[in-house]
Amino acid sequence: ELILEPLNSLSDSITITMVIVIDALDEARVVNDNDGMKGRKALLNTIIRKFTKLPTFVKIFITSRPEQDIIYILNKCYGNNKVIVNEDDLRHIDD
């Protein structure tokens, strides 16, 4: 709510594109916890529940290694609305 509510209140007056960057999502700690969500699971849950409700002027840029839980969530949320750059692709080897 800390991000979602203020951005939604601006949606009629904003004429620029804003970008939220989550770098190294795969490095978020994986916590096995029966009492609630922590670490990467909580962050992925936020992406599922909240990021799809952001105004259209907000774009999300996420970097991550291709971990199964992350791939599953991003496919579920964004389907074809994502770009995947494979680090092994020869076109990106110098990056």
Side-chain angles (χ1 to χ4, degrees):
E1 303 305 316
L2 182 64
I3 295 172
L4 190 59
E5 287 181 22
L7 288 175
N8 278 326
S9 70
L10 294 174
S11 63
D12 292 333
S13 60
I14 293 289
T15 59
I16 62 170
T17 299
M18 297 179 80
V19 179
I20 296 174
V21 177
I22 300 175
D23 187 28
L25 177 59
D26 59 292
E27 293 180 18
R29 205 171 109 180
V30 176
V31 178
N32 294 323
D33 182 19
N34 294 330
D35 297 327
M37 291 192 299
K38 294 182 180 177
R40 187 159 78 198
K41 184 177 179 183
L43 186 52
L44 288 169
N45 188 55
T46 299
I47 291 170
I48 291 171
R49 292 181 38 241
K50 302 294 183 178
F51 281 18
T52 55
K53 297 177 184 176
L54 288 168
T56 56
F57 67 87
V58 178
K59 307 300 178 200
I60 309 298
F61 185 85
I62 300 172
T63 68
S64 175
R65 290 182 185 94
E67 302 288 338
Q68 286 304 112
D69 58 334
I70 296 170
I71 291 170
Y72 175 78
I73 294 301
L74 295 180
N75 282 334
K76 183 177 179 179
C77 285
Y78 299 106
N80 293 328
N81 294 323
K82 63 186 179 310
V83 175
I84 298 174
V85 177
N86 185 337
E87 67 183 16
D88 297 328
D89 189 324
L90 294 178
R91 294 174 295 171
H92 308 292
I93 209 74
D94 291 333
D95 296 340

